[in-house]
Amino acid sequence: AQRVTQPEKLLSVFKGAPVELKCNYSYSGSPELFWYVQYSRQRLQLLLRHISRESIKGFTADLNKGETSFHLKKPFAQEEDSAMYYCALSPPMDGGYNKLIFGAGTRLAVHP
Amino acid sequence: NAGVTQTPKFQVLKTGQSMTLQCAQDMNHNSMYWYRQDPGMGLRLIYYSASEGTTDKGEVPNGYNVSRLNKREFSLRLESAAPSQTSVYFCASSEETGGNQPQHFGDGTRLSIL
């Protein structure tokens, strides 16, 4: 079964500390993987996607196919990073549509 | 720059009442989606529309119907609301179907059914 697991509901860190938001997935093929973020009183929005190999707002995510993980990392957390983070998986052209499977989300709280 | 607009933002219904949630996008996207989000869970796909004139079931379609009215608008209807449908509903759109297309989300509709 296709599934995305985010084991931590809440991650609390101090400003300047490193952050790692964990994401594990179960899928037999090679899915596309995304991180979406929802800041307070804002819409859910795309943060980054694996295919782009990009760093957004200092965040990076590395796909580890052996461990089926796509953890989100930032070396120095900022207070403005406080938000809800969702990992999502998209099977390649499953049924020909853009299907996203979301994890339950991790709330990141960065304290001053 | 509205993006995806959902109405209403909040609604309280009694069991058995019907309601339509509205969604419109101004990005000329072909594909649109309806999700629900329950406490402690990720978003789950209810229905989607790959293009104007087509709709298909997602993961949790029971109790819902949808209409892709035109390219801009995609509505979700609850014919006979049940307490189990209390949730936050999100509409989203993307340029095309395909695994790499990012989705753009609305603000959500918080629906309570008593």
mmCIF file with all atom_site columns, all heavy atoms in Angstrom, chain A residues 18-30:
data_model
loop_
_atom_site.group_PDB
_atom_site.id
_atom_site.type_symbol
_atom_site.label_atom_id
_atom_site.label_alt_id
_atom_site.label_comp_id
_atom_site.label_asym_id
_atom_site.label_entity_id
_atom_site.label_seq_id
_atom_site.pdbx_PDB_ins_code
_atom_site.Cartn_x
_atom_site.Cartn_y
_atom_site.Cartn_z
_atom_site.occupancy
_atom_site.B_iso_or_equiv
_atom_site.pdbx_formal_charge
_atom_site.auth_seq_id
_atom_site.auth_comp_id
_atom_site.auth_asym_id
_atom_site.auth_atom_id
_atom_site.pdbx_PDB_model_num
ATOM 1   N N   . PRO A 1 18 ? 19.817 22.938 14.496 1.00 0.00 ? 18 PRO A N   1
ATOM 2   C CA  . PRO A 1 18 ? 19.490 22.209 13.259 1.00 0.00 ? 18 PRO A CA  1
ATOM 3   C C   . PRO A 1 18 ? 18.122 21.549 13.374 1.00 0.00 ? 18 PRO A C   1
ATOM 4   O O   . PRO A 1 18 ? 17.658 21.193 14.463 1.00 0.00 ? 18 PRO A O   1
ATOM 5   C CB  . PRO A 1 18 ? 20.606 21.166 13.171 1.00 0.00 ? 18 PRO A CB  1
ATOM 6   C CG  . PRO A 1 18 ? 21.044 20.962 14.573 1.00 0.00 ? 18 PRO A CG  1
ATOM 7   C CD  . PRO A 1 18 ? 20.872 22.271 15.270 1.00 0.00 ? 18 PRO A CD  1
ATOM 8   N N   . VAL A 1 19 ? 17.495 21.398 12.214 1.00 0.00 ? 19 VAL A N   1
ATOM 9   C CA  . VAL A 1 19 ? 16.162 20.806 12.162 1.00 0.00 ? 19 VAL A CA  1
ATOM 10  C C   . VAL A 1 19 ? 16.166 19.650 11.176 1.00 0.00 ? 19 VAL A C   1
ATOM 11  O O   . VAL A 1 19 ? 16.744 19.755 10.089 1.00 0.00 ? 19 VAL A O   1
ATOM 12  C CB  . VAL A 1 19 ? 15.118 21.853 11.701 1.00 0.00 ? 19 VAL A CB  1
ATOM 13  C CG1 . VAL A 1 19 ? 13.787 21.186 11.392 1.00 0.00 ? 19 VAL A CG1 1
ATOM 14  C CG2 . VAL A 1 19 ? 14.938 22.930 12.759 1.00 0.00 ? 19 VAL A CG2 1
ATOM 15  N N   . GLU A 1 20 ? 15.519 18.564 11.568 1.00 0.00 ? 20 GLU A N   1
ATOM 16  C CA  . GLU A 1 20 ? 15.290 17.462 10.639 1.00 0.00 ? 20 GLU A CA  1
ATOM 17  C C   . GLU A 1 20 ? 13.870 16.959 10.825 1.00 0.00 ? 20 GLU A C   1
ATOM 18  O O   . GLU A 1 20 ? 13.518 16.431 11.891 1.00 0.00 ? 20 GLU A O   1
ATOM 19  C CB  . GLU A 1 20 ? 16.276 16.311 10.839 1.00 0.00 ? 20 GLU A CB  1
ATOM 20  C CG  . GLU A 1 20 ? 16.066 15.192 9.809  1.00 0.00 ? 20 GLU A CG  1
ATOM 21  C CD  . GLU A 1 20 ? 17.058 14.057 9.973  1.00 0.00 ? 20 GLU A CD  1
ATOM 22  O OE1 . GLU A 1 20 ? 17.200 13.544 11.098 1.00 0.00 ? 20 GLU A OE1 1
ATOM 23  O OE2 . GLU A 1 20 ? 17.682 13.675 8.958  1.00 0.00 ? 20 GLU A OE2 1
ATOM 24  N N   . LEU A 1 21 ? 13.067 17.112 9.811  1.00 0.00 ? 21 LEU A N   1
ATOM 25  C CA  . LEU A 1 21 ? 11.689 16.617 9.827  1.00 0.00 ? 21 LEU A CA  1
ATOM 26  C C   . LEU A 1 21 ? 11.677 15.308 9.052  1.00 0.00 ? 21 LEU A C   1
ATOM 27  O O   . LEU A 1 21 ? 12.024 15.264 7.874  1.00 0.00 ? 21 LEU A O   1
ATOM 28  C CB  . LEU A 1 21 ? 10.748 17.633 9.186  1.00 0.00 ? 21 LEU A CB  1
ATOM 29  C CG  . LEU A 1 21 ? 10.667 18.982 9.902  1.00 0.00 ? 21 LEU A CG  1
ATOM 30  C CD1 . LEU A 1 21 ? 10.085 20.038 8.998  1.00 0.00 ? 21 LEU A CD1 1
ATOM 31  C CD2 . LEU A 1 21 ? 9.851  18.855 11.167 1.00 0.00 ? 21 LEU A CD2 1
ATOM 32  N N   . LYS A 1 22 ? 11.236 14.264 9.714  1.00 0.00 ? 22 LYS A N   1
ATOM 33  C CA  . LYS A 1 22 ? 11.350 12.938 9.118  1.00 0.00 ? 22 LYS A CA  1
ATOM 34  C C   . LYS A 1 22 ? 10.127 12.587 8.259  1.00 0.00 ? 22 LYS A C   1
ATOM 35  O O   . LYS A 1 22 ? 8.987  12.932 8.602  1.00 0.00 ? 22 LYS A O   1
ATOM 36  C CB  . LYS A 1 22 ? 11.536 11.888 10.208 1.00 0.00 ? 22 LYS A CB  1
ATOM 37  C CG  . LYS A 1 22 ? 12.893 11.973 10.906 1.00 0.00 ? 22 LYS A CG  1
ATOM 38  C CD  . LYS A 1 22 ? 13.071 10.858 11.904 1.00 0.00 ? 22 LYS A CD  1
ATOM 39  C CE  . LYS A 1 22 ? 14.495 10.759 12.389 1.00 0.00 ? 22 LYS A CE  1
ATOM 40  N NZ  . LYS A 1 22 ? 15.012 11.999 12.945 1.00 0.00 ? 22 LYS A NZ  1
ATOM 41  N N   . CYS A 1 23 ? 10.427 11.896 7.171  1.00 0.00 ? 23 CYS A N   1
ATOM 42  C CA  . CYS A 1 23 ? 9.376  11.402 6.285  1.00 0.00 ? 23 CYS A CA  1
ATOM 43  C C   . CYS A 1 23 ? 9.814  10.042 5.749  1.00 0.00 ? 23 CYS A C   1
ATOM 44  O O   . CYS A 1 23 ? 10.885 9.928  5.170  1.00 0.00 ? 23 CYS A O   1
ATOM 45  C CB  . CYS A 1 23 ? 9.142  12.358 5.130  1.00 0.00 ? 23 CYS A CB  1
ATOM 46  S SG  . CYS A 1 23 ? 8.007  11.728 3.857  1.00 0.00 ? 23 CYS A SG  1
ATOM 47  N N   . ASN A 1 24 ? 8.976  9.051  5.950  1.00 0.00 ? 24 ASN A N   1
ATOM 48  C CA  . ASN A 1 24 ? 9.215  7.731  5.383  1.00 0.00 ? 24 ASN A CA  1
ATOM 49  C C   . ASN A 1 24 ? 8.032  7.360  4.498  1.00 0.00 ? 24 ASN A C   1
ATOM 50  O O   . ASN A 1 24 ? 6.886  7.715  4.804  1.00 0.00 ? 24 ASN A O   1
ATOM 51  C CB  . ASN A 1 24 ? 9.396  6.687  6.493  1.00 0.00 ? 24 ASN A CB  1
ATOM 52  C CG  . ASN A 1 24 ? 10.667 6.912  7.263  1.00 0.00 ? 24 ASN A CG  1
ATOM 53  O OD1 . ASN A 1 24 ? 10.660 7.579  8.296  1.00 0.00 ? 24 ASN A OD1 1
ATOM 54  N ND2 . ASN A 1 24 ? 11.760 6.382  6.761  1.00 0.00 ? 24 ASN A ND2 1
ATOM 55  N N   . TYR A 1 25 ? 8.299  6.657  3.430  1.00 0.00 ? 25 TYR A N   1
ATOM 56  C CA  . TYR A 1 25 ? 7.217  6.313  2.530  1.00 0.00 ? 25 TYR A CA  1
ATOM 57  C C   . TYR A 1 25 ? 7.277  4.834  2.180  1.00 0.00 ? 25 TYR A C   1
ATOM 58  O O   . TYR A 1 25 ? 8.318  4.194  2.297  1.00 0.00 ? 25 TYR A O   1
ATOM 59  C CB  . TYR A 1 25 ? 7.272  7.166  1.263  1.00 0.00 ? 25 TYR A CB  1
ATOM 60  C CG  . TYR A 1 25 ? 8.481  6.925  0.397  1.00 0.00 ? 25 TYR A CG  1
ATOM 61  C CD1 . TYR A 1 25 ? 8.457  5.981  -0.630 1.00 0.00 ? 25 TYR A CD1 1
ATOM 62  C CD2 . TYR A 1 25 ? 9.652  7.654  0.591  1.00 0.00 ? 25 TYR A CD2 1
ATOM 63  C CE1 . TYR A 1 25 ? 9.561  5.753  -1.416 1.00 0.00 ? 25 TYR A CE1 1
ATOM 64  C CE2 . TYR A 1 25 ? 10.768 7.432  -0.199 1.00 0.00 ? 25 TYR A CE2 1
ATOM 65  C CZ  . TYR A 1 25 ? 10.715 6.481  -1.204 1.00 0.00 ? 25 TYR A CZ  1
ATOM 66  O OH  . TYR A 1 25 ? 11.824 6.249  -1.982 1.00 0.00 ? 25 TYR A OH  1
ATOM 67  N N   . SER A 1 26 ? 6.139  4.333  1.775  1.00 0.00 ? 26 SER A N   1
ATOM 68  C CA  . SER A 1 26 ? 6.082  2.964  1.272  1.00 0.00 ? 26 SER A CA  1
ATOM 69  C C   . SER A 1 26 ? 5.497  3.011  -0.127 1.00 0.00 ? 26 SER A C   1
ATOM 70  O O   . SER A 1 26 ? 4.363  3.476  -0.328 1.00 0.00 ? 26 SER A O   1
ATOM 71  C CB  . SER A 1 26 ? 5.244  2.068  2.195  1.00 0.00 ? 26 SER A CB  1
ATOM 72  O OG  . SER A 1 26 ? 3.924  2.541  2.284  1.00 0.00 ? 26 SER A OG  1
ATOM 73  N N   . TYR A 1 27 ? 6.305  2.606  -1.070 1.00 0.00 ? 27 TYR A N   1
ATOM 74  C CA  . TYR A 1 27 ? 5.894  2.565  -2.481 1.00 0.00 ? 27 TYR A CA  1
ATOM 75  C C   . TYR A 1 27 ? 6.919  1.734  -3.209 1.00 0.00 ? 27 TYR A C   1
ATOM 76  O O   . TYR A 1 27 ? 8.118  1.920  -3.008 1.00 0.00 ? 27 TYR A O   1
ATOM 77  C CB  . TYR A 1 27 ? 5.816  3.970  -3.072 1.00 0.00 ? 27 TYR A CB  1
ATOM 78  C CG  . TYR A 1 27 ? 5.333  3.983  -4.498 1.00 0.00 ? 27 TYR A CG  1
ATOM 79  C CD1 . TYR A 1 27 ? 3.992  3.744  -4.799 1.00 0.00 ? 27 TYR A CD1 1
ATOM 80  C CD2 . TYR A 1 27 ? 6.211  4.209  -5.555 1.00 0.00 ? 27 TYR A CD2 1
ATOM 81  C CE1 . TYR A 1 27 ? 3.541  3.727  -6.099 1.00 0.00 ? 27 TYR A CE1 1
ATOM 82  C CE2 . TYR A 1 27 ? 5.759  4.199  -6.861 1.00 0.00 ? 27 TYR A CE2 1
ATOM 83  C CZ  . TYR A 1 27 ? 4.425  3.960  -7.134 1.00 0.00 ? 27 TYR A CZ  1
ATOM 84  O OH  . TYR A 1 27 ? 3.976  3.939  -8.430 1.00 0.00 ? 27 TYR A OH  1
ATOM 85  N N   . SER A 1 28 ? 6.484  0.858  -4.061 1.00 0.00 ? 28 SER A N   1
ATOM 86  C CA  . SER A 1 28 ? 7.397  -0.090 -4.684 1.00 0.00 ? 28 SER A CA  1
ATOM 87  C C   . SER A 1 28 ? 8.177  0.488  -5.839 1.00 0.00 ? 28 SER A C   1
ATOM 88  O O   . SER A 1 28 ? 9.235  -0.008 -6.188 1.00 0.00 ? 28 SER A O   1
ATOM 89  C CB  . SER A 1 28 ? 6.630  -1.327 -5.157 1.00 0.00 ? 28 SER A CB  1
ATOM 90  O OG  . SER A 1 28 ? 5.619  -0.955 -6.068 1.00 0.00 ? 28 SER A OG  1
ATOM 91  N N   . GLY A 1 29 ? 7.693  1.558  -6.445 1.00 0.00 ? 29 GLY A N   1
ATOM 92  C CA  . GLY A 1 29 ? 8.369  2.123  -7.605 1.00 0.00 ? 29 GLY A CA  1
ATOM 93  C C   . GLY A 1 29 ? 9.200  3.334  -7.248 1.00 0.00 ? 29 GLY A C   1
ATOM 94  O O   . GLY A 1 29 ? 9.789  3.419  -6.168 1.00 0.00 ? 29 GLY A O   1
ATOM 95  N N   . SER A 1 30 ? 9.259  4.292  -8.157 1.00 0.00 ? 30 SER A N   1
ATOM 96  C CA  . SER A 1 30 ? 10.029 5.523  -7.966 1.00 0.00 ? 30 SER A CA  1
ATOM 97  C C   . SER A 1 30 ? 9.085  6.711  -7.987 1.00 0.00 ? 30 SER A C   1
ATOM 98  O O   . SER A 1 30 ? 8.848  7.305  -9.042 1.00 0.00 ? 30 SER A O   1
ATOM 99  C CB  . SER A 1 30 ? 11.081 5.665  -9.072 1.00 0.00 ? 30 SER A CB  1
ATOM 100 O OG  . SER A 1 30 ? 12.003 4.609  -9.020 1.00 0.00 ? 30 SER A OG  1
#
